[in-house]
């Protein structure tokens, strides 16, 4: 009996020695390479993406980590990153359902003004430097732990748009585009304590302001006392500017945002006596999930499903 036990211990020791000899020097911690991107259901979702102007065949497992990295700070809470992963996956699945006029050869692109931002591994390494490994694995965990999950409304993947930060309430999609039952205005908890540059300002002289306005509405009456150039400003239910009368002409809040490069349509406009002053709160179109709001919810204990079902009312988690 003792002889058999000794023989077993010797065999176990030899196996351990052989395993150590075959293992890479320094173990996993010594490697600079990120973990494998292979991840269940996401690996089976394939599509064409436009990356730096070139159409490439990819899978959700390969593409999605770069989108999450490009769209949300890696320093955010894990549950917020999971919510971002599901929202981005959902948006991609939604786009896969039809061709986009800007790039019919590809379902998605890496232009945030068209589809969603996307970082390559090289771009992540440049952005994060020595924190690359920790940040990348945090992003990858958010993607893998929600593998294949997306948001559905009446059985279809929703148009899961999102934005950086809101001014207390998100925007109803009907105010900007067309009504979506899951993209209605809801509360959002972020504040100036949570969001860098939450409140910003744009100041222009009377001449600068007039030049911009006249470029869009040549018939605007901008003469005499500047204080009388400004008329009624109307706001929608979320508190954002719906319309404004300037020089007798009507502008939408979105028109003014684009004309004066404002961060959102949640703004006030006044004549200070020496300049026109826009005071702007939040950043982005305001529709769907607020990323900073999601992070504050996660800090308060909400999980990613609670975050998502709050911002996308009536939508439910589904699995690919």
């Amino acid at each position: 009996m003792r002889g058999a036990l000794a023989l077993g211990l010797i065999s176990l020791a030899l196996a351990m020695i052989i395993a150590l000899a075959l293992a890479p020097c320094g173990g996993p911690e010594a490697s600079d390479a990120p973990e494998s991107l292979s991840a269940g259901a996401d690996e089976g979702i394939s599509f064409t993406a436009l990356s730096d102007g070139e159409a490439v065949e990819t899978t959700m497992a390969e593409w999605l980590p770069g989108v999450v990295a490009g769209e949300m700070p890696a320093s955010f809470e894990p549950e917020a990153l999971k919510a971002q992963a599901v929202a981005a996956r959902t948006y991609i699945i939604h786009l896969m359902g039809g061709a986009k006029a800007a790039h019919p050869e590809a379902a998605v692109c890496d232009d945030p003004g068209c589809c969603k931002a996307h970082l390559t591994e090289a771009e992540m390494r440049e952005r994060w430097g020595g924190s690359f490994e920790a940040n990348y694995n945090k992003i990858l965990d958010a993607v893998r732990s929600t593998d294949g999950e997306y948001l559905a409304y009446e059985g279809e993947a929703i148009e899961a748009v999102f934005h950086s930060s809101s001014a207390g309430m998100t925007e109803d999609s009907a105010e900007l585009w067309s009504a979506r039952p899951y993209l209605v205005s809801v509360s959002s908890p972020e504040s100036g304590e949570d969001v860098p540059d939450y409140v910003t300002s744009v100041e222009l002289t009377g001449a600068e302001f007039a030049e911009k306005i006249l470029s869009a509405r040549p018939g605007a009456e901008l003469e005499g006392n500047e204080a009388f150039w400004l008329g009624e400003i109307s706001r929608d239910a979320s508190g954002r500017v719906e319309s404004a009368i300037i020089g007798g002409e009507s502008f939408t809040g979105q028109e003014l945002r684009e004309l004066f490069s404002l961060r959102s349509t949640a703004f006030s406009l006044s004549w200070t006596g020496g300049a026109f002053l826009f005071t702007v709160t939040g950043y982005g179109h305001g529709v769907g999930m607020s990323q900073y709001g999601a992070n504050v919810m996660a800090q308060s204990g909400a999980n990613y499903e609670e975050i998502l079902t709050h911002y996308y009312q009536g939508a439910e988690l589904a699995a690919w």
Side-chain angles (χ1 to χ4, degrees):
M1 186 71 174
R2 289 181 180 176
L5 178 61
L7 184 60
L9 290 171
I10 291 170
S11 298
L12 178 60
L14 285 172
M16 291 176 66
I17 291 169
I18 292 169
L20 287 170
L22 294 175
C25 181
E29 287 134 344
S31 173
D32 276 344
E35 295 182 46
S36 167
L37 291 173
S38 179
D42 279 353
E43 188 64 29
I45 305 173
S46 58
F47 52 90
T48 304
L50 205 61
S51 179
D52 198 22
E54 179 182 353
V56 295
E57 296 301 316
T58 187
T59 66
M60 192 72 75
E62 294 170 340
W63 187 258
L64 187 56
V67 175
V68 177
E71 290 286 353
M72 180 174 275
S75 60
F76 273 21
E77 294 291 318
E79 293 301 310
L81 289 166
K82 291 177 188 178
Q84 180 67 83
V86 174
R89 182 186 293 111
T90 304
Y91 191 76
I92 293 170
I93 293 172
H94 170 78
L95 290 179
M96 288 168 61
K100 195 153 188 176
H103 43 75
E105 75 278 23
V108 301
C109 72
D110 56 5
D111 177 5
C114 179
C115 293
K116 297 301 173 191
H118 176 272
L119 298 182
T120 64
E121 182 185 324
E123 289 168 333
M124 290 184 231
R125 288 183 181 277
E126 182 178 357
R127 175 177 293 189
W128 294 330
S131 300
F132 169 77
E133 285 294 321
N135 287 346
Y136 185 81
N137 287 325
K138 188 177 178 183
I139 297 291
L140 198 59
D141 181 68
V143 172
R144 285 181 170 176
S145 61
T146 62
D147 180 51
E149 292 184 344
Y150 64 97
L151 288 161
Y153 186 87
E154 296 184 347
E156 298 292 330
I158 70 170
E159 190 175 359
V161 294
F162 43 86
H163 60 283
S164 178
S165 60
S166 273
M169 299 287 291
T170 65
E171 181 67 285
D172 191 314
S173 66
E175 296 289 346
L176 285 182
W177 311 310
S178 59
R180 304 282 192 280
Y182 49 82
L183 292 177
V184 296
S185 180
V186 299
S187 62
S188 199
E190 67 271 36
S191 69
E193 295 180 357
D194 311 301
V195 187
D197 298 320
Y198 185 56
V199 178
T200 55
S201 61
V202 175
E203 193 173 56
L204 303 102
T205 65
E208 292 169 335
F209 184 80
E211 182 181 5
K212 290 279 190 181
I213 291 296
L214 292 171
S215 70
R217 299 285 194 283
E221 298 178 5
L222 303 178
E223 297 176 355
N225 191 332
E226 289 92 338
F228 297 109
W229 293 1
L230 303 180
E232 181 183 3
I233 293 181
S234 301
R235 298 183 181 275
D236 61 28
S238 76
R240 291 171 173 81
V241 172
E242 189 170 49
S243 64
I245 303 298
I246 301 173
E249 298 282 344
S250 180
F251 293 81
T252 67
Q254 185 60 26
E255 281 182 296
L256 292 174
R257 182 191 175 197
E258 294 172 1
L259 194 59
F260 293 96
S261 300
L262 309 178
R263 285 165 63 89
S264 83
T265 56
F267 63 81
S268 63
L269 172 60
S270 62
W271 169 252
T272 67
F276 285 95
L277 178 66
F278 289 94
T279 303
V280 189
T281 305
Y283 187 23
H285 51 60
V287 182
M289 184 179 74
S290 162
Q291 294 166 313
Y292 275 92
N295 196 48
V296 172
M297 287 184 69
Q299 290 170 342
S300 299
N303 63 36
Y304 73 96
E305 183 174 3
E306 291 170 327
I307 294 169
L308 292 167
T309 53
H310 172 71
Y311 284 111
Y312 304 103
Q313 292 282 298
E316 299 178 335
L317 276 180
W320 186 268

